[in-house]
Amino acid sequence: DRINEAKDIESVEYPWKGLNEKTYGMRRGEVVTLTSGTGQGKSSVCREWQSWLINKGYTVGIVALEENVTQSAQALMGIHLNCPPHRWAEAGVTEAFDATVGNGRCVLYDHWGSLEPDNLLSRLRYMVKAMGCTHVFLDHLSIVVSQLGSEYGNERRLIDNTMTRLRSLVEELQFGLVVVSHLKRPEGRSHEEGGQVSLSHLRGSGSIAQLSDICIGMERDQQDEDSKFVTRLRVIKNRYTGDTGLANAVRYD
């Protein structure tokens, strides 16, 4: 019976063809880790995926720990308007709100002053069980453990514990989880200058790679005038199909 149920798991496409050819989309019950160097556009990619899922009729939970809920809402509305918030005119703003964060399929976590893993996991459970979220985005993992301080243990142990609990919650509730994680500084060419991402570069703990079903690295040379708006997405782990390597490139306009 379990095997027959597993055959019916739905795969939801990503908005980009090359990524779908590698991964066959995203599925509930899986943890997808998105990683890159600093300022490479991880949050922007997450917003594109969030907007894509909302437009397909899925309910999305957003835990964006580096910004407040107003900034998260404005970013999603900006994708709908095809215009960044600082360039908005009044026309169309109400319609953009109703089509994104105001349509009942977007759940934002107002997290300020409450980032402990126990509280965070209870909020994720509430998003899925009470609010009906099929996919949840956690941006990002490092800030969860950095808020706890050294009295709770070292960073590696905290990440191990948090990732294990996140993995267990995903298995129990069968929702799709996208986790944003940072990279440590590599030897040689830096990630901010287009260096290739590998699993060994994930910052803090090997459990991030071990407990993720799919890991996707982003590569972009921020200093190259010809390519600084082009980001390459590289699949560095793929438990579902085993197919890894460069998936596609996206251009920020």
Side-chain angles (χ1 to χ4, degrees):
D1 289 342
R2 294 279 288 272
I3 291 169
N4 286 329
E5 289 171 8
K7 291 192 298 185
D8 297 328
I9 294 176
E10 178 188 21
S11 288
V12 184
E13 288 184 333
Y14 289 97
W16 304 315
K17 179 182 177 182
L19 203 51
N20 290 321
E21 290 176 347
K22 291 283 187 189
T23 65
Y24 286 36
M26 62 179 80
R27 287 155 291 279
R28 299 187 203 182
E30 288 189 352
V31 177
V32 176
T33 294
L34 180 68
T35 188
S36 77
T38 302
Q40 300 288 79
K42 295 183 291 295
S43 296
S44 296
V45 167
C46 281
R47 291 181 188 123
E48 291 289 343
W49 293 356
Q50 292 158 9
S51 178
W52 174 262
L53 288 166
I54 290 168
N55 289 335
K56 282 184 167 292
Y58 296 95
T59 302
V60 175
I62 300 172
V63 183
L65 300 178
E66 288 187 317
E67 61 190 20
N68 59 46
V69 293
T70 301
Q71 293 168 322
S72 298
Q74 288 174 330
L76 283 172
M77 292 164 64
I79 291 175
H80 181 84
L81 292 168
N82 202 29
C83 179
H86 66 274
R87 292 186 177 180
W88 283 354
E90 285 300 316
V93 173
T94 300
E95 185 269 335
F97 179 84
D98 292 340
T100 54
V101 293
N103 65 7
R105 296 194 301 276
C106 179
V107 182
L108 296 164
Y109 174 34
D110 192 358
H111 56 83
W112 290 108
S114 187
L115 292 177
E116 296 83 1
D118 286 343
N119 188 64
L120 177 64
L121 265 70
S122 71
R123 294 299 186 270
L124 297 186
R125 180 182 294 276
Y126 187 83
M127 281 181 166
V128 176
K129 295 287 285 185
M131 306 298 289
C133 293
T134 57
H135 301 79
V136 176
F137 289 75
L138 174 58
D139 183 4
H140 56 86
L141 181 63
S142 300
I143 204 170
V144 177
V145 299
S146 68
Q147 291 290 320
L148 293 177
S150 59
E151 67 270 18
Y152 287 87
N154 61 38
E155 184 182 39
R156 180 185 298 273
R157 188 180 304 163
L158 288 169
I159 291 176
D160 285 346
N161 180 263
T162 304
M163 278 299 297
T164 300
R165 296 173 69 185
L166 286 170
R167 176 82 244 183
S168 298
L169 193 68
V170 168
E171 289 288 345
E172 177 193 347
L173 302 181
Q174 288 297 296
F175 65 99
L177 177 64
V178 177
V179 176
V180 175
S181 179
H182 284 182
L183 297 170
K184 60 187 177 184
R185 295 186 182 278
E187 296 180 4
R189 190 178 183 186
S190 73
H191 298 115
E192 291 75 21
E193 294 177 342
Q196 184 172 316
V197 177
S198 76
L199 285 177
S200 63
H201 296 162
L202 283 163
R203 177 180 164 185
S205 171
S207 65
I208 300 173
Q210 292 162 3
L211 296 175
S212 299
D213 294 280
I214 291 174
C215 292
I216 299 169
M218 296 169 51
E219 301 166 357
R220 176 167 68 92
D221 189 344
Q222 295 168 293
Q223 303 304 317
D224 188 287
E225 288 298 321
D226 295 328
S227 63
K228 66 181 180 180
F229 293 120
V230 177
T231 298
R232 301 185 304 275
L233 274 77
R234 182 181 301 276
V235 178
I236 53 178
K237 179 183 179 181
N238 187 351
R239 185 172 284 155
Y240 190 70
T241 70
D243 191 3
T244 57
L246 194 62
N248 64 283
V250 290
R251 175 181 289 276
Y252 179 80
D253 184 350

